[in-house]
Amino acid sequence: MTEQPHSNRLIHETSPYLRQHAHNPVDWYPWGEEALDRARREGKPILLSIGYSACHWCHVMAHESFEDEATAQVMNELFVNIKVDREERPDLDKIYQTAFQMLHRRAGGWPLTMFLTHDDHVPFVGGTYFPKTPRYGMPAFTDILRRVSTHYRQHQPELRQQNQALLDALRAEIAAPAAADAAVLNDAPLRAARDALIHSFDPMHGGFGGAPKFPHPTSLEHLLRCWAASVQGVEPDRPAETAVLSTLRKMALGGIYDHLGGGFYRYSVDAEWQIPHFEKMLYDNGPLLALYAQAWQATQDPLFRTAAEETGAWLLREMQDPAGGYYATLDADSEGEEGKFYLWTPDQVRELLSTEEYVAFAVCHGLEQPPNFENHAWHPRRIAEPSELASRLAVAPEQVDEWLAAARRKLLEARSQRIWPGRDEKILTAWNGLTIRGMAIAGRHLGRAEFVASAERALDFIRARLWRDGRLLAAHKDGQARLNAYLDDYAFLIDGILELLQCRWRDGDLDFALALAEVLLDQFQDREAGGFFFTATDHETLIQRPKPAHDDALPAGNGIAAQVLLKLGHLTGRADYLEAAERTLRWAWPVLEQIPNACNALLAALEDFLEPAQTIVLRGQPEALAEWWERCARPYAPRRLTLAIPATATVPTGLLVERRAGAAPVTAYVCTGLECRSPITTLDALERELAQ
């Protein structure tokens, strides 16, 4: 084993990303008082570098600059250097990405490289990836370091003035306009978001806008809900139907989907969904799993079912820790090359398959086409339907399906023998919440009990390892749970629990969701302006306390918080939950009016506020409950919450206590918001109620 010539303070961290830099010659610190105190004492500006373990360009900058002795010497001489894993510290990432956007009038990215003042940690300049030598129209990183240091020493008064303006802008971003409380909430943002998404839809290739293309599951879910609701009305919304279903089909057929192992890559570098950026993120696959399962239930398109089942199987096989939690990411790189693990040549494939299997796979997945990746390599995507090949070869479609299944099985087995991309095995509470939700929805719609059991194991892991003294922790790795949880951790986990409860009742799960909701209200709520801060009241003081309204790679925590509080409020009769959700929508109203299509999580909450969702509580004997549950919970009904609770179950205090089992085998309590019908005791009567 090669001896590492250096070790810095990151050697003591649990984050795989930080430990990747533990042997750099850079004198890295984790974010914390030791580094911040040194900067104050020495008057040196801070170089803040934020990235994550699956980030390709983070690796490039590390190999070029952070592993280079000469570059490290300049960094160590001129700066206090702090390395942050954005997945562990999304609070810091949100603040400094927002600051970057304000300073540069464009979105940032990773690696994020920001230079901060030594005493108050306000950024005065920054960038993303910087090359070691001059290229891409950028100067060498060491030249930038020297210029920044010189400018910092010589222009303190101007920088302080700029910093004050930036701080004012950061504070204004989260402030609520005075008129927000008086706003009349209506459905105009819902319609405007739908129109904006249709306008940006790419009718040829699916998705929104041009390259690079991201999946945007919250946008697609909004359009799916729009279309599903319109089907119940006079005129189905064909543009919404086309946009969402075409995009889902193009993605499932394209190279952004892993046709051997299941699961989706981060994004497509081209507009046609053909060549991905190869990292696989838990936070993409949980929501996409839910979306494809919902789309299958709404359309019965077998392609959607296949994508959902294979993605769920991938999560079970490769991303779930034996103890129950889900891992964070799979890297884009293996053996130092992006995508190498996933690429093939025709000769490699031909050696592993029979002649018939090779022909089927080559035609269906593009090996007959010119290479679509560098170094004459092929990344499989689906360019022909099996039915087309069956006609061409004059064989039954079932025979082609058998050849393709055998080919994929053999190729997946051979691929598993390659050198794997790195896997970040930290377990993040928020991302697990998204995936618990996805596995529960897929398990319910597809009838896959193993998906539900997987979600249950993940929830049990979080409750056992990351719930301490009535508070959540954000991350678990190597037996250690650490970092105070954020808004997303609480909101996403409650959402996952509510979806899991719709699959089966288990005593204690709703109590856990209610305990999480209490912390949400007590520690995160902005009692003056409405909405929820990203960090708790006892969190470390930073230059901003974010209040996210816009969705980014993840749905906005405020949107999910409002959604779950509305559901819990209607389920339990708790007025404070309903009031907190309404105040969140009022705080966010100016943003919803200006850019609604960037706030789809909040839009779903707005929809549930304007037209309260249907809540169905079924009480009775387990054997009799199954048929009633099948009728209520299995269909795609995004604005319905169904709980099938055995007569002997223990329920929390509140409205649920009043919804008891009666003399009939099953009693159904059907409510819209807080308005409830008389108890229903026959399945025919329930059918009539659901048909209204």
Side-chain angles (χ1 to χ4, degrees), residues 158-212:
E158 301 95 313
L159 289 177
R160 296 294 175 179
Q161 188 174 6
Q162 171 189 297
N163 287 358
Q164 187 57 52
L166 178 62
L167 287 172
D168 291 343
L170 287 170
R171 293 183 185 119
E173 193 214 19
I174 64 170
D181 281 343
V184 177
L185 304 182
N186 57 61
D187 68 352
L190 294 166
R191 291 182 278 108
R194 177 262 179 211
D195 293 346
L197 289 170
I198 296 300
H199 179 72
S200 64
F201 169 64
D202 178 349
M204 181 171 292
H205 303 297
F208 307 104

Side-chain angles (χ1 to χ4, degrees), residues 282-350:
L282 188 65
Y283 66 69
D284 288 319
N285 283 280
L288 286 169
L289 170 61
L291 185 59
Y292 273 91
Q294 291 168 326
W296 177 80
Q297 188 61 269
T299 66
Q300 300 296 294
D301 185 327
L303 177 64
F304 298 158
R305 182 177 186 114
T306 297
E309 289 187 323
E310 292 179 351
T311 297
W314 167 72
L315 287 164
L316 273 169
R317 184 180 66 249
E318 296 182 20
M319 298 301 285
Q320 189 159 31
D321 186 274
Y326 297 109
Y327 300 137
T329 65
L330 278 180
D331 207 332
D333 299 0
S334 56
E335 301 182 73
E337 297 181 26
E338 185 183 6
K340 184 173 182 179
F341 181 74
Y342 301 101
L343 301 174
W344 298 88
T345 66
D347 287 344
Q348 288 174 326
V349 174
R350 192 179 286 110

Side-chain angles (χ1 to χ4, degrees), residues 378-393:
W378 279 255
H379 174 56
R381 73 274 196 213
R382 190 160 140 188
I383 64 171
E385 294 293 331
S387 58
E388 299 173 32
L389 185 58
S391 176
R392 173 173 153 182
L393 298 178

Side-chain angles (χ1 to χ4, degrees), residues 23-230:
H23 299 293
N24 293 168
V26 178
D27 187 16
W28 288 117
Y29 289 78
W31 181 277
E33 190 52 40
E34 183 184 8
L36 302 179
D37 180 63
R38 180 185 167 192
R40 280 192 297 269
R41 285 187 288 101
E42 298 183 9
K44 283 184 179 179
I46 294 167
L47 189 161
L48 176 66
S49 176
I50 302 178
Y52 60 101
S53 66
C55 167
H56 173 70
W57 287 102
C58 299
H59 297 325
V60 172
M61 191 167 178
H63 295 323
E64 289 180 349
S65 295
F66 304 151
E67 295 172 6
D68 178 66
E69 295 277 357
T71 304
Q73 183 177 353
V74 176
M75 292 173 66
N76 295 338
E77 178 185 346
L78 301 179
F79 300 93
V80 173
N81 302 291
I82 297 179
K83 175 62 76 173
V84 165
D85 181 343
R86 67 107 173 176
E87 296 168 356
E88 284 193 342
R89 294 299 305 262
D91 53 337
L92 295 170
D93 187 55
K94 285 181 184 295
I95 291 168
Y96 290 107
Q97 293 284 356
T98 301
F100 177 93
Q101 191 161 3
M102 290 177 172
L103 288 169
H104 295 276
R105 300 292 186 266
R106 61 182 175 85
W110 301 280
L112 183 68
T113 309
M114 298 294 281
F115 298 92
L116 320 182
T117 53
H118 68 278
D119 48 0
D120 54 11
H121 320 142
V122 179
F124 56 93
V125 70
T128 51
Y129 162 79
F130 290 111
K132 179 184 175 183
T133 57
R135 64 181 186 277
Y136 311 128
M138 292 185 282
F141 187 43
T142 50
D143 290 342
I144 290 170
L145 295 173
R146 293 187 178 97
R147 292 181 201 174
V148 169
S149 177
T150 300
H151 187 77
Y152 187 71
R153 291 196 309 272
Q154 296 179 353
H155 297 278
Q156 284 282 326
E158 301 95 313
L159 289 177
R160 296 294 175 179
Q161 188 174 6
Q162 171 189 297
N163 287 358
Q164 187 57 52
L166 178 62
L167 287 172
D168 291 343
L170 287 170
R171 293 183 185 119
E173 193 214 19
I174 64 170
D181 281 343
V184 177
L185 304 182
N186 57 61
D187 68 352
L190 294 166
R191 291 182 278 108
R194 177 262 179 211
D195 293 346
L197 289 170
I198 296 300
H199 179 72
S200 64
F201 169 64
D202 178 349
M204 181 171 292
H205 303 297
F208 307 104
K213 266 190 181 159
F214 290 81
H216 294 300
T218 57
S219 299
L220 293 169
E221 186 173 357
H222 179 65
L223 290 178
L224 186 63
R225 288 169 66 119
C226 287
W227 170 61
S230 74

Side-chain angles (χ1 to χ4, degrees), residues 433-602:
L434 291 173
T435 308
I436 289 167
R437 173 183 179 269
M439 290 295 252
I441 288 174
R444 184 169 87 247
H445 286 320
L446 306 177
R448 299 292 296 263
E450 71 272 32
F451 291 178
V452 177
S454 170
E456 200 170 73
R457 291 198 305 276
L459 176 60
D460 290 344
F461 178 92
I462 291 172
R463 191 166 187 177
R465 312 287 180 89
L466 290 144
W467 176 246
R468 292 185 185 169
D469 302 320
R471 297 286 290 274
L472 278 176
L473 296 170
H476 183 279
K477 180 73 171 65
D478 297 336
Q480 298 182 47
R482 58 194 297 269
L483 301 171
N484 294 331
Y486 309 99
L487 168 63
D488 289 358
D489 297 298
Y490 286 90
F492 295 175
L493 187 56
I494 297 170
D495 201 21
I497 292 171
L498 287 174
E499 289 296 344
L500 194 49
L501 281 166
Q502 293 197 76
C503 299
R504 87 292 175 270
W505 177 265
R506 188 172 66 162
D507 286 354
D509 283 356
L510 183 56
D511 301 83
F512 187 29
L514 294 172
L516 295 170
E518 289 303 306
V519 180
L520 197 62
L521 293 180
D522 182 57
Q523 292 292 322
F524 293 85
Q525 186 176 191
D526 184 343
R527 300 183 186 280
E528 294 181 6
F532 294 88
F533 293 106
F534 190 71
T535 54
T537 55
D538 56 359
H539 194 76
E540 170 190 3
T541 301
L542 302 170
I543 64 171
Q544 186 200 41
R545 195 178 176 197
K547 281 178 70 178
H550 306 134
D551 304 321
D552 45 37
L554 280 66
N558 267 287
I560 303 301
Q563 289 180 43
V564 299
L565 288 171
L566 286 169
K567 291 173 183 174
L568 288 173
H570 291 140
L571 190 62
T572 64
R574 287 278 299 270
D576 53 340
Y577 290 173
L578 301 176
E579 290 165 3
E582 180 178 354
R583 294 183 72 240
T584 299
L585 291 170
R586 292 191 179 281
W587 161 73
W589 186 249
V591 180
L592 290 176
E593 288 188 304
Q594 293 164 15
I595 44 173
N597 54 308
C599 307
N600 287 289
L602 277 162

Side-chain angles (χ1 to χ4, degrees), residues 220-270:
L220 293 169
E221 186 173 357
H222 179 65
L223 290 178
L224 186 63
R225 288 169 66 119
C226 287
W227 170 61
S230 74
V231 171
Q232 309 301 320
V234 177
E235 185 176 352
D237 187 345
R238 296 305 180 196
E241 176 188 18
T242 298
V244 65
L245 300 185
S246 172
T247 298
L248 291 174
R249 285 192 61 81
K250 294 287 188 180
M251 286 167 50
L253 295 172
I256 194 173
Y257 181 70
D258 182 352
H259 292 274
L260 297 184
F264 290 84
Y265 304 106
R266 180 70 192 94
Y267 65 88
S268 174
V269 300
D270 57 88

Side-chain angles (χ1 to χ4, degrees), residues 444 452 456 497-510 571 614-634 640-652 656 659-661 665-670 683 686:
R444 184 169 87 247
V452 177
E456 200 170 73
I497 292 171
L498 287 174
E499 289 296 344
L500 194 49
L501 281 166
Q502 293 197 76
C503 299
R504 87 292 175 270
W505 177 265
R506 188 172 66 162
D507 286 354
D509 283 356
L510 183 56
L571 190 62
Q614 187 180 61
T615 302
I616 301 176
V617 176
L618 307 172
R619 297 300 306 269
Q621 301 306 314
E623 303 78 15
L625 281 173
E627 184 180 6
W628 292 54
W629 175 88
E630 184 83 21
R631 176 63 187 86
C632 297
R634 184 61 59 76
R640 176 188 299 160
L641 186 150
T642 302
L643 299 184
I645 308 177
T648 57
T650 302
V651 298
L656 280 183
R659 296 169 187 170
R660 301 182 178 89
V666 178
T667 302
Y669 298 86
V670 180
L683 194 53
L686 179 62

